[in-house]
Amino acid sequence: MDLREIGEFGLIDRIRKWMTASDPALLQGIGDDVAVIEMRDKVLLVTTDILIEGIHFKRSWIDPYRLGKKALIVNLSDIAAMGGIPKYFLISLGLPKNLPLPFISSFYRGLKERAKRFQVDLIGGDTSLSQKIVINICLLGEGGEGDLLFRKGAKVGNDLFVSGTLGDAALGLKILQKEGLMGRPKGLIEKHLSPCPRIELGQAIARHRLATAMIDVSDGLLIDTTHLLKESGVGARIWEDRIPLSRPYRKWINSYSEDPYQIALTGGEDYELLFTALPEARKKISTLTLSSKIPITWIGEILPQKEGFHIIRRDGKEYSPGRLGFEHFK
Ligand code: ADP
Ligand code: MG
């Protein structure tokens, strides 16, 4: 069965049955002109991301279940970067008419898996015919006003930290491009297809007031660092040999790049958290590493803006990065 047989409204009816919502503050979910949410004295967080077939994913690489998960993950990561609580999402889909219904039901199963895991409800969307698959999610979240972490709070003398390891997803993509789904190791490919948003970690960093500014690393460490520096009006230095690399990354990087740090510095889609903190917070941050079981690594320091942004290599040589990472239209 494909979409031609059931049509737009047949599809929406099915989606409504697949995805039940339970939040009592949701007065009206799917099925009316708008969704209606009761608001209390909280701050509303809103973020949106688009995934386009051929640009962000290929159907031959990612199965619909993982695609559903990833569509939600990229948005969850933005709420994580604020230290917020994700709550509701809307999804707008552009779909080819010959798309088999099982593709969409698997896609929604992936969505539902992540929605349950991170306690968010689907509350609406839109559906249209399209030549290629287009997925747009708008995710709503909440936070306490004083609890949120912006890109703009970094101060001279702050430490710069990053969670997890870097470059795994980008190396996984390189392996996919060269070897396809049969490529090795599976773990790196999986990091590209199904990353994990740092929701609980972001909330813990915000709740314990450990950071002064935070951003998620979605486009690459260098480029996302420059976003944080620009918004804060500061410079920074990063020690290259402190950048956290996973064991499989270290093992496989030589087959894909002469420079072992290049992909970790510029590759995207790790969805780790990058944050700045006062030196006094170091001890609490290492405690958080232990309790969260997520490595948090001190990779650099914040400088006055006029000193710019440098990477210090292992041999002590400094350079200012040229190509920073991925940017659309470039
Ligand atoms: P409208 O005429 O206002 O565009 P629709 O017929 O597109 O309304 O949508 C009917 C209901 O189904 C709305 O609540 C809308 O939010 C929801 N909806 C439409 N498409 C989707 C989708 N792909 N996933 C989830 N909900 C959807
Ligand atoms: Mg509509």
Side-chain angles (χ1 to χ4, degrees):
M1 192 191 289
D2 65 24
L3 292 183
R4 283 172 292 204
E5 287 169 66
I6 58 170
E8 178 188 348
F9 299 112
L11 175 62
I12 295 173
D13 284 343
R14 283 172 174 78
I15 291 169
R16 216 173 154 176
K17 288 199 193 95
W18 295 334
M19 310 286 288
T20 45
S22 55
D23 193 311
L26 183 65
L27 305 184
Q28 173 67 58
I30 296 176
D32 210 312
D33 296 311
V34 300
V36 183
I37 302 160
E38 193 176 6
M39 298 282 294
R40 279 158 253 116
D41 49 354
K42 287 278 164 54
V43 180
L44 178 66
L45 312 178
V46 188
T47 180
T48 184
D49 264 294
I50 192 163
L51 295 180
I52 296 179
E53 184 176 9
I55 307 285
H56 300 92
F57 67 92
K58 283 201 165 84
R59 262 192 259 178
S60 54
W61 288 347
I62 191 163
D63 55 282
Y65 179 75
R66 284 198 183 75
L67 184 61
K69 283 172 69 173
K70 190 161 178 181
L72 199 49
I73 286 164
V74 299
N75 284 282
L76 286 165
S77 181
D78 284 318
I79 299 276
M82 300 301 294
I85 303 165
K87 297 290 292 182
Y88 310 102
F89 68 105
L90 298 114
I91 183 160
S92 296
L93 295 173
L95 303 170
K97 66 169 102 178
N98 62 356
L99 197 66
L101 186 60
F103 183 100
I104 308 179
S105 56
S106 299
F107 174 85
Y108 271 87
R109 268 198 299 114
L111 269 183
K112 190 167 181 176
E113 192 281 328
R114 290 289 84 176
K116 266 186 117 160
R117 163 69 178 79
F118 293 102
Q119 295 174 31
V120 292
D121 284 331
L122 178 65
I123 61 169
D126 200 21
T127 311
S128 167
L129 175 64
S130 166
Q131 256 146 23
K132 296 208 158 133
I133 299 175
V134 179
I135 304 157
N136 170 244
I137 286 184
C138 175
L139 177 64
L140 311 178
E142 65 180 29
E145 203 175 340
D147 291 344
L148 297 173
L149 282 166
F150 296 84
R151 296 178 179 185
K152 66 185 170 196
K155 296 278 184 310
V156 176
N158 283 177
D159 298 333
L160 185 65
F161 289 91
V162 72
S163 67
T165 56
L166 294 175
D168 296 325
L171 184 54
L173 176 61
K174 284 225 182 283
I175 296 170
L176 265 179
Q177 282 165 339
K178 192 163 156 222
E179 319 250 329
L181 274 172
M182 300 321 272
R184 296 255 168 257
K186 285 268 164 296
L188 292 175
I189 294 179
E190 196 57 28
K191 271 284 195 90
H192 169 73
L193 296 178
S194 199
C196 188
R198 300 299 194 190
I199 287 288
E200 290 90 355
L201 185 65
Q203 287 168 5
I205 292 169
R207 192 173 58 244
H208 299 301
R209 306 260 192 278
L210 297 182
T212 51
M214 190 152 72
I215 185 171
D216 67 322
V217 184
S218 55
D219 293 332
L221 176 67
L222 294 184
I223 208 160
D224 289 316
T225 302
T226 61
H227 292 149
L228 185 144
L229 299 181
K230 183 168 170 243
E231 293 305 310
S232 295
V234 293
R237 87 165 48 96
I238 288 179
W239 300 289
E240 196 177 64
D241 60 353
R242 289 205 192 177
I243 291 172
L245 305 176
S246 71
R247 203 185 284 239
Y249 180 98
R250 288 173 192 272
K251 184 166 171 210
W252 290 84
I253 189 63
N254 297 331
S255 322
Y256 289 86
S257 170
E258 278 171 26
D259 176 350
Y261 289 102
Q262 177 65 20
I263 291 179
L265 286 164
T266 59
E269 300 208 283
D270 283 316
Y271 299 105
E272 294 296 345
L273 295 177
L274 178 75
F275 63 95
T276 54
L278 290 165
E280 296 90 281
R282 277 176 209 161
K283 219 169 159 190
K284 282 189 180 161
I285 291 168
S286 46
T287 310
L288 182 61
T289 296
L290 294 176
S291 63
S292 67
K293 299 195 178 72
I294 298 167
I296 301 173
T297 312
W298 178 18
I299 58 164
E301 59 190 1
I302 299 300
L303 306 174
Q305 190 166 40
K306 61 177 190 320
E307 293 190 31
F309 178 32
H310 315 277
I311 311 298
I312 316 283
R313 269 209 287 257
R314 199 196 307 245
D315 58 14
K317 291 215 178 82
E318 263 190 42
Y319 70 97
S320 288
R323 191 179 182 279
L324 295 171
F326 180 76
E327 186 175 352
H328 284 283
F329 311 118
K330 278 208 168 167

